[in-house]
Amino acid sequence: MLCTRLTNARFLTMDPDRPVAHDLGIWQGRIVGLDEAVTSLPAREVVDLQGATVLPGFIDAHVHLAWTGFKQNTPSIAGRTRVDDVLAAVAEAVARTRAPGDWVSIAGYDQRALGRHLTAADLDKVSDGRKLYLLHDSGHGCVVNTAVLDLLPAGIPHENGFLAEQAMGAARALRLPHSQEDLAEAIGRAARTCLAEGVTACAEAGIGGTLFGHSPVELGAYQLARDKGLLPLRVQLMVSADRLRPVTAHESDGIPRALDLGLRTGFGDDRLSVGALKVWTDGGMMARTAALTSPYEGLDHAGQLQDDPEVLTSLIVDGHLAGWQLAVHAIGDRAADVALDALERAQRLRPRPGARHRIEHAGLIRPDQLPRLARLGVSAVVQPNFLRCFGDDYASIMGEERAPWMYRGRAFLDHGIPLVGSSDRPVADGSPLRAVQFMVERASASGQPIGPDEAITVDEALHAHTVAGARACHWDDRLGSLTPGKHADLVVLGDDPRRVDTSRIGDIEVVETYVDGSPSRPRD
């Protein structure tokens, strides 16, 4: 007997051996068959989906759950375009705190909306003795007031209170870590948001590190969230590479640096596991810190690397030697050069063709870099909604020649480079359907074409958010397609993305999301 049979639907399985079905059978959280294999079997429950379209659950291969959850409950200045209005909102947040000396966090900071960066002097006017910390929406910088600057170690660089990249990490380090209870609640809030948009599995893109870590015991917070029933989807945790430390392992192991006890990619279970080692090589386009080979249009600099190239290379090579899958953040083309050089060296020292290393973002990839990505077998984990939300701005700072190289689609596929969809939530909109729409039409929210030659088909865009996402996370034996034997993770849609006008894909209703055969909204 089946636990559940879903019927009267158009199942787009993403499995080339059986692309479409109308019935799907579930037993103990697994798909056991399609169509004639299950239609005659008794089932405890038969669910008539009334002609809906069903896909494998979307996989977000790059997301920040804890950050998303905290941002949802943090005062925000997003959308304000005047400095005076921003300062008024900060003053309101300050007034809600208890005492001088308190930290006040503000979300939604983006200098582009204001025409300039805020300064410490600006914030001092409304701080009333508090320590102010405004996190840039990119996550690659912050602006603080003088009370915070006075606490920083000597020599930390800043521009009138704006701290970028590693300097931002120094400001973060001044604060007490979040408790595991608070982290678990934040993770749960973000996970529920993902589930509502059809995401059934995701990769948390960096825990425990200087840039994005929230606690030295952050992994435990995810375990707590699962134990408390706050984790309704599957989560794989990328560990920040700055957690590696020298070890004296046996000489034959060839492991110069590792996490305690040799923990590495693959540890865990189907609901919560350790994924890739996350390495940051540069910053971001929003903060103008992505490392380019030539300057940004209209600016006199080309961004920055997180460290000396040899230091970054050593970190990447050591992670590879320790057995990790690597997820290397590289947005600018100069950062991509560093990442590719390091991955090439690592594979030369110890070939691991099945490692499935990844370039996170691959935001600006020159034509000459495409064959190198292909030869190394790395995946390009892109965020299409970056260009949908910020494409006009990004195109202007890249210029006419480079704009078509941003967050590519067609070129990756044509070169045999696995193309993986993701969101980087909360930096940009997390909706997989809106990301699919952009990948097909390659137009920003304003309608401006952004690299139209990089457009791909709807099927290819759906593949990037299902099959390719599963493969990038080493989940392809259990997730990514509606294939018998795999987990019954699926999303029920109000329309077929392949049959509606491209401009409507992002607005298709997510009717229901199933994980292990159970709906996110239990039926009466």
Side-chain angles (χ1 to χ4, degrees):
M1 175 181 284
L2 300 173
C3 293
T4 307
R5 179 163 58 86
L6 304 178
T7 188
N8 188 20
R10 181 175 178 81
F11 292 93
L12 306 181
T13 68
M14 306 307 295
D15 181 344
D17 293 334
R18 186 69 173 268
V20 180
H22 55 76
D23 274 36
L24 181 144
I26 300 169
W27 171 249
Q28 294 187 344
R30 297 269 182 171
I31 299 168
V32 296
L34 302 167
D35 292 347
E36 66 278 357
V38 297
T39 51
S40 61
L41 296 179
R44 292 174 185 165
E45 181 181 32
V46 177
V47 180
D48 184 344
L49 293 177
Q50 301 177 2
T53 296
V54 182
L55 282 159
F58 295 123
I59 295 171
D60 191 335
H62 185 118
V63 66
H64 298 277
L65 290 178
W67 178 13
T68 298
F70 282 126
K71 186 175 181 179
Q72 289 172 345
N73 277 15
T74 300
S76 177
I77 55 174
R80 291 174 172 82
T81 58
R82 297 178 63 250
V83 170
D84 287 347
D85 293 340
V86 167
L87 295 180
V90 173
E92 290 178 12
V94 166
R96 292 194 291 270
T97 58
R98 295 181 179 178
D102 284 352
W103 283 89
V104 179
S105 295
I106 304 291
Y109 175 62
D110 187 343
Q111 85 285 356
R112 298 173 304 172
L114 302 174
R116 69 170 177 87
H117 273 300
L118 293 176
T119 67
D122 290 329
L123 296 181
D124 289 344
K125 299 173 185 176
V126 294
S127 61
D128 194 24
R130 274 65 167 176
K131 304 180 187 74
L132 301 186
Y133 183 97
L134 281 64
L135 179 63
H136 195 276
D137 263 348
S138 68
H140 287 273
C142 66
V143 61
V144 300
N145 64 340
T146 302
V148 176
L149 294 178
D150 289 345
L151 298 175
L152 290 172
I156 296 296
H158 69 90
E159 293 183 27
N160 299 316
F162 179 74
L163 300 103
E165 308 302 341
Q166 297 298 332
M168 177 193 71
R172 288 174 65 101
L174 296 173
R175 309 184 62 174
L176 291 173
H178 292 281
S179 72
Q180 286 196 347
E181 287 283 351
D182 287 347
L183 270 165
E185 292 292 335
I187 291 162
R189 281 193 297 274
R192 291 189 294 274
T193 300
C194 292
L195 203 66
E197 294 183 332
V199 175
T200 57
C202 66
E204 162 65 61
I207 64 168
T210 303
L211 286 181
F212 289 93
H214 297 89
S215 166
V217 290
E218 194 166 356
L219 190 151
Y222 282 85
Q223 291 179 289
L224 179 62
R226 182 184 62 180
D227 294 345
K228 295 180 69 173
L230 299 175
L231 207 59
L233 42 66
R234 304 180 197 282
V235 178
Q236 189 178 85
L237 303 172
M238 299 185 203
V239 177
S240 178
D242 59 19
R243 297 298 91 195
L244 293 183
R245 62 180 188 175
V247 294
T248 52
H250 192 280
E251 183 179 291
S252 65
D253 291 336
I255 299 176
R257 280 188 279 182
L259 259 64
D260 287 345
L261 302 178
L263 184 73
R264 60 175 173 83
T265 303
F267 185 80
D269 56 32
D270 283 334
R271 280 298 184 118
L272 182 63
S273 60
V274 174
L277 188 73
K278 179 70 178 293
V279 183
W280 280 270
T281 63
D282 70 343
M285 288 187 187
M286 289 172 64
R288 311 320 194 214
T289 54
L292 311 178
T293 50
S294 56
Y296 291 90
E297 288 288 312
L299 300 177
D300 60 359
H301 69 86
Q304 64 189 80
L305 294 171
Q306 294 286 358
D307 211 323
D308 181 84
E310 276 304 311
V311 172
L312 296 171
T313 296
S314 175
L315 193 57
I316 290 168
V317 170
D318 286 356
H320 174 89
L321 295 176
W324 286 90
Q325 178 190 23
L326 295 166
V328 185
H329 168 116
I331 291 184
D333 59 329
R334 183 184 175 207
D337 281 333
V338 171
L340 294 171
D341 288 346
L343 290 171
E344 198 166 54
R345 183 187 299 184
Q347 291 284 19
R348 191 166 55 245
L349 289 172
R350 182 176 297 170
R352 285 175 52 211
R356 299 186 188 178
H357 295 322
R358 310 158 38 144
I359 299 294
E360 306 300 301
H361 308 295
L364 187 73
I365 299 295
R366 302 186 310 270
D368 65 286
Q369 292 174 318
L370 292 166
R372 293 193 69 195
L373 275 107
R375 283 197 306 271
L376 286 168
V378 298
S379 297
V381 183
V382 301
Q383 297 74 41
N385 277 328
F386 276 14
L387 293 188
R388 191 180 68 82
C389 297
F390 317 126
D392 296 352
D393 173 63
Y394 284 12
S396 70
I397 60 171
M398 288 300 107
E400 186 176 352
E401 180 185 16
R402 293 182 294 185
W405 304 344
M406 295 190 297
Y407 296 93
R408 292 175 178 269
R410 175 53 53 203
F412 288 142
L413 293 179
D414 286 351
H415 282 78
I417 299 163
L419 174 64
V420 182
S422 68
S423 71
D424 204 14
R425 189 195 304 261
V427 178
D429 183 348
S431 165
L433 286 169
R434 285 191 280 274
V436 167
Q437 178 176 323
F438 175 82
M439 296 175 90
V440 177
E441 64 182 9
R442 295 289 299 194
S444 69
S446 73
Q448 178 183 344
I450 309 289
D453 290 344
E454 293 295 331
I456 61 177
T457 69
V458 174
D459 281 329
E460 289 167 334
L462 293 173
H463 186 279
H465 285 85
T466 54
V467 179
R471 182 187 179 279
C473 296
H474 289 272
W475 281 329
D476 46 319
D477 61 337
R478 70 203 84 161
L479 298 175
S481 65
L482 302 181
T483 302
K486 292 190 176 183
H487 290 292
D489 292 6
L490 47 91
V491 56
V492 182
L493 302 178
D495 219 328
D496 185 341
R498 304 187 309 179
R499 294 185 171 186
V500 302
D501 186 87
T502 302
S503 64
R504 290 183 51 215
I505 293 175
D507 294 323
I508 293 174
E509 178 189 5
V510 175
V511 178
E512 184 59 276
T513 308
Y514 285 74
V515 177
D516 276 335
S518 297
S520 58
R521 294 184 290 272
R523 294 178 292 276
D524 294 333

